[in-house]
Amino acid sequence: MHNSRSILATTAHRPWPLPDRPWVMFQRWHDLLFAHWALEPEQVRPLVPSELELDLFDGRAWVGIIPFWMGNVHLRGLPPLPGSGTFPEMNLRTYVRLPLEQKGQSKEHSGPGRAAGDEISKPGVYFFSLDAASLQAVLAARLSFGLPYFWSKMTVKRSARDQVEYSSSRRQRPGPAEVRVSYGPDGPLAAGKSELEIFLTERYCLYVVRRGHVHRVQIHHLPWPLQPADAEFHKNTLAAAHGFKLSEPPHILHFAKSLDVLIFAPEKVE
């Protein structure tokens, strides 16, 4: 059973303060693979709305494919809905922030500030797509958050040693969008995180652009329990369905066993 009070009481790792309003949804994420590729900014910039600034690290735009499965998904004060409380999910994403000056730019990452009202200090995630096995979750996320969710046929098979066989085949366009990957941890929990690992994983909001307006969804969780990972993509057409060319293997891999996440209501910021 999660303890939201203890999660909310741990904030020293956050790059900015908690939102000043209650959280609205709880999710528990399991068996995550963070597979990341470093791309030239010009490959990614045309695929991200001009209202958002592409956040770079070492002059590169980073694109991630993150397969995992969710459990105990529910709105605050309510039990999980039948058929939508536990299901696999996978996202294709990059990293952005609100533009300080001119729209449509790509800039090297800089450390975020800690002022609650400092909008530009909140680096976040931009999702090209999110595939999920629950049609209820797909419809709810599209309607409530405006996120690009797709209904997919997905399976997750786990062994006793945290090895995962993961498959996803999209039922909706754009397609074909199929991923089959074997992965698992390849070492102990890291004692600390590199600057790049913080950049790729410790993100506490996501951005959605709807009809020219930017909306932000803030989240909160404890620091990511990252381990080095090993992974083999047997098939991967997910990125190609959204205009990317990804080399093999990924440039960097991480594994996380589980994490409890609190989600706040969307807010219009621009």
Side-chain angles (χ1 to χ4, degrees), residues 3-263:
N3 186 336
S4 59
R5 289 186 179 181
S6 63
I7 298 172
L8 291 169
T10 306
T11 61
H13 61 291
R14 287 182 58 88
W16 64 82
L18 283 166
D20 57 358
R21 58 192 185 281
W23 58 274
V24 297
M25 180 181 286
F26 173 87
Q27 299 177 353
R28 179 168 292 144
W29 300 344
H30 301 268
D31 297 321
L32 294 97
L33 173 69
F34 291 95
H36 279 100
W37 289 259
L39 303 181
E40 294 299 328
E42 54 267 25
Q43 294 178 261
V44 183
R45 178 66 268 181
L47 304 174
V48 175
S50 62
E51 291 84 357
L52 298 172
E53 183 174 287
L54 195 59
D55 202 4
L56 308 181
F57 191 96
D58 285 344
R60 300 292 186 91
W62 291 78
V63 171
I65 293 179
I66 293 85
F68 61 106
W69 63 276
M70 288 190 179
N72 200 17
V73 178
H74 63 86
L75 294 174
R76 184 169 184 165
L78 296 175
L81 292 174
S84 62
T86 300
F87 55 89
E89 181 168 319
M90 177 177 60
N91 63 66
L92 174 67
R93 72 193 205 182
T94 193
Y95 304 100
V96 298
R97 47 205 305 154
L98 290 177
L100 182 60
E101 300 167 350
Q102 183 179 349
K103 292 183 178 180
Q105 292 185 330
S106 303
K107 288 186 178 180
E108 185 71 11
H109 176 77
S110 59
R114 293 187 60 85
D118 185 358
E119 303 293 356
I120 197 61
S121 73
K122 295 180 173 63
V125 172
Y126 176 77
F127 291 110
F128 299 104
S129 67
L130 303 100
D131 288 74
S134 168
L135 180 58
Q136 287 176 298
V138 168
L139 295 176
R142 279 184 170 270
L143 289 172
S144 59
F145 292 98
L147 288 165
Y149 265 84
F150 296 89
W151 186 32
S152 297
K153 182 179 180 180
M154 308 175 83
T155 62
V156 182
K157 297 179 181 178
R158 296 170 293 146
S159 73
R161 293 193 290 180
D162 290 334
Q163 297 301 305
V164 180
E165 297 290 333
Y166 196 103
S167 70
S168 174
S169 180
R170 187 172 293 171
R171 302 174 188 262
Q172 299 174 263
R173 295 181 179 181
E178 186 175 356
V179 170
R180 288 189 292 110
V181 58
S182 305
Y183 65 89
D186 191 31
L189 285 171
K193 296 184 181 71
S194 68
E195 188 177 351
L196 176 59
E197 289 171 332
I198 292 172
F199 173 88
L200 295 174
T201 63
E202 297 293 344
R203 299 257 164 175
Y204 291 88
C205 69
L206 63 90
Y207 290 98
V208 179
V209 179
R210 307 176 74 177
R211 295 183 289 276
H213 296 288
V214 180
H215 300 259
R216 181 174 56 219
V217 177
Q218 297 198 58
I219 68 171
H220 179 61
H221 52 71
L222 301 181
W224 276 105
L226 292 182
Q227 297 174 252
D230 180 65
E232 182 179 358
F233 281 84
H234 308 289
K235 189 165 188 178
N236 183 8
T237 60
L238 176 63
H242 294 275
F244 293 102
K245 292 183 179 179
L246 299 180
S247 61
E248 287 293 343
H251 294 136
I252 188 168
L253 296 164
H254 297 93
F255 177 85
K257 182 58 181 172
S258 68
L259 193 68
D260 290 349
V261 182
L262 305 176
I263 299 174

